[in-house]
Amino acid sequence: MSEAAEAVPTVLVVAVALVDPDGRVLIAKRPEGKQLAGLWEFPGGKVEPGERPEAALIRELKEELGIDVNEACLAPFVFTSHAYDSFHLLMPLYLCRRWSGVVTAREHAGLAWVKPNKLSDYPMPPADEPLVAWLRDLL
Ligand code: CDP
């Protein structure tokens, strides 16, 4: 491997599977103008330097979806990683069944509540795809 390839940064992104009382999971469509536009992702975002992952997730869910999540409800249940061209992604997926506020698409092009066995109908970023099988088995 060349030195340039080794210099690709590793980025920590936290993501969430919000699960509603009917057992459906929220996915969100990435908007035009962003990398991977049009693909359906588990909501979340980058952990800033010095930020605790759980704090980053709480911040991102407020910014992206307008909801408040209690830190006590957050526990990572599976990690995924993917080598994108310009960075290596490490992404824990948290599961969350309780929040306050109404889920609203503030930054995404759309939202969908989907039964776990239907998640594979939605095209996802490569990092998110392996999470679908975990959710199907868990929920
Ligand atoms: O969405 P944006 O590109 O503004 O940044 P982000 O939410 O902080 O996520 C950083 C990068 O992680 C995205 O550009 C995606 O490449 C990747 N990502 C992903 O693969 N799957 C997710 N569920 C969230 C982010």
Side-chain angles (χ1 to χ4, degrees):
M1 187 186 280
S2 73
E3 281 189 22
E6 287 168 7
V8 171
T10 299
V11 173
L12 177 61
V13 169
V14 283
V16 72
L18 287 184
V19 183
D20 79 1
D22 296 327
R24 298 175 308 171
V25 179
L26 184 78
I27 51 175
K29 193 176 189 181
R30 293 181 61 81
E32 289 308 317
K34 278 197 173 184
Q35 196 196 6
L36 307 170
L39 299 184
W40 293 85
E41 68 180 9
F42 297 100
K46 280 191 209 78
V47 179
E48 303 292 344
E51 191 176 32
R52 286 181 310 110
E54 290 77 13
L57 192 53
I58 289 168
R59 175 180 54 71
E60 290 283 351
L61 293 179
K62 187 72 176 175
E63 287 170 9
E64 291 187 351
L65 302 175
I67 59 169
D68 292 298
V69 172
N70 185 326
E71 186 160 340
C73 301
L74 295 175
F77 82 97
V78 62
F79 279 77
T80 182
S81 67
H82 185 77
Y84 286 112
D85 286 344
S86 56
F87 64 99
H88 293 167
L89 178 75
L90 177 64
M91 188 167 80
L93 183 73
Y94 291 71
L95 195 73
C96 179
R97 294 178 187 271
R98 278 182 292 152
W99 57 90
S100 58
V102 177
V103 173
T104 310
R106 291 186 170 176
E107 296 182 358
H108 287 94
L111 300 175
W113 290 97
V114 181
K115 288 279 188 194
N117 63 354
K118 297 286 180 195
L119 282 170
S120 52
D121 293 351
Y122 293 77
M124 290 189 172
D128 297 56
E129 273 173 4
L131 301 171
V132 168
W134 283 93
L135 282 167
R136 229 177 12 227
D137 289 350
L138 186 89
L139 298 176

